[in-house]
Amino acid sequence: MIEIFDETGSGLDNKLIYEVFAAVAKEFCLPDNAYVELTVADGETIREVNREYRNVDSVTDVLSFPNLEVNLPFKAEDYPDDVDMATGELMLGEIMLCYDRAVEQSKEYGHSVERECAYLVLHGLLHLLGFDHIEDSDKVKMRAEEEKILTDLGITRD
């Protein structure tokens, strides 16, 4: 499950975000109790968070805060001590999406804001699962996963 907190009143298409999460859950065999929080923030808020947690004083499009050190393939039994006893949820982590930056990037790349937000949420989810793009070889793997999932969802560049 992905829970969305829209601090901007953006009107973000939650249905699309749920579909992206469901596709990632299916692709990586995440358990039904997997849980992620998504906060949709403005530029100033994400800049403050980026400065505080990454020591980078700039606006960015998406930040991910993994709660687990994930090993793929994902096996729920590898995380027995990480299930919240009160809720039964397995918290994968938190994602913060900058809606202002998503709007800018959608114009820059020539596609819809919805497509950009879907991509950024997907990108953030993959970070929660241990993907990164620091090394070129890792970047290739991450981009391939992103394209596969977006294509499977029919989310294309307009």
Side-chain angles (χ1 to χ4, degrees):
M1 176 177 99
I2 188 165
E3 188 167 5
I4 303 167
F5 302 95
D6 188 348
E7 296 178 351
T8 66
S10 68
L12 180 65
D13 183 358
N14 290 355
K15 182 177 179 276
L16 182 60
I17 301 307
Y18 296 138
E19 289 173 2
V20 169
F21 180 81
V24 169
K26 181 179 177 187
E27 179 72 19
F28 295 101
C29 301
L30 300 181
D32 291 341
N33 66 333
Y35 176 75
V36 171
E37 289 183 355
L38 169 66
T39 300
V40 182
D42 61 21
E44 188 52 39
T45 300
I46 205 162
R47 180 180 181 168
E48 289 173 15
V49 172
N50 201 18
R51 181 175 50 237
E52 182 178 342
Y53 290 95
R54 297 183 60 233
N55 206 25
V56 177
D57 189 14
S58 64
V59 175
T60 190
D61 51 8
V62 66
L63 293 170
S64 298
F65 300 96
N67 195 50
L68 303 173
E69 189 171 319
V70 173
N71 296 307
L72 296 175
F74 195 95
K75 296 178 191 161
E77 60 269 17
D78 291 343
Y79 309 95
D81 297 330
D82 297 298
V83 175
D84 184 306
M85 298 308 285
T87 64
E89 296 168 337
L90 179 61
M91 177 62 142
L92 299 179
E94 299 174 43
I95 300 169
M96 181 173 273
L97 169 82
C98 180
Y99 190 76
D100 299 339
R101 193 72 186 110
V103 170
E104 291 170 14
Q105 288 176 181
S106 70
K107 292 174 186 172
E108 181 181 334
Y109 299 132
H111 53 243
S112 70
V113 175
E114 291 77 17
R115 193 261 182 219
E116 187 65 16
C117 288
Y119 167 77
L120 292 173
V121 169
L122 171 57
H123 187 84
L125 287 167
L126 291 177
H127 276 307
L128 296 183
L129 295 177
F131 285 86
D132 73 40
H133 43 80
I134 296 169
E135 300 294 328
D136 286 342
S137 60
D138 293 331
K139 184 177 184 175
V140 168
K141 290 176 192 171
M142 189 170 186
R143 295 292 181 257
E145 286 294 341
E146 290 167 346
E147 286 303 318
K148 178 189 183 313
I149 291 169
L150 290 174
T151 299
D152 288 351
L153 288 170
I155 301 172
T156 58
R157 299 177 195 267
D158 311 322

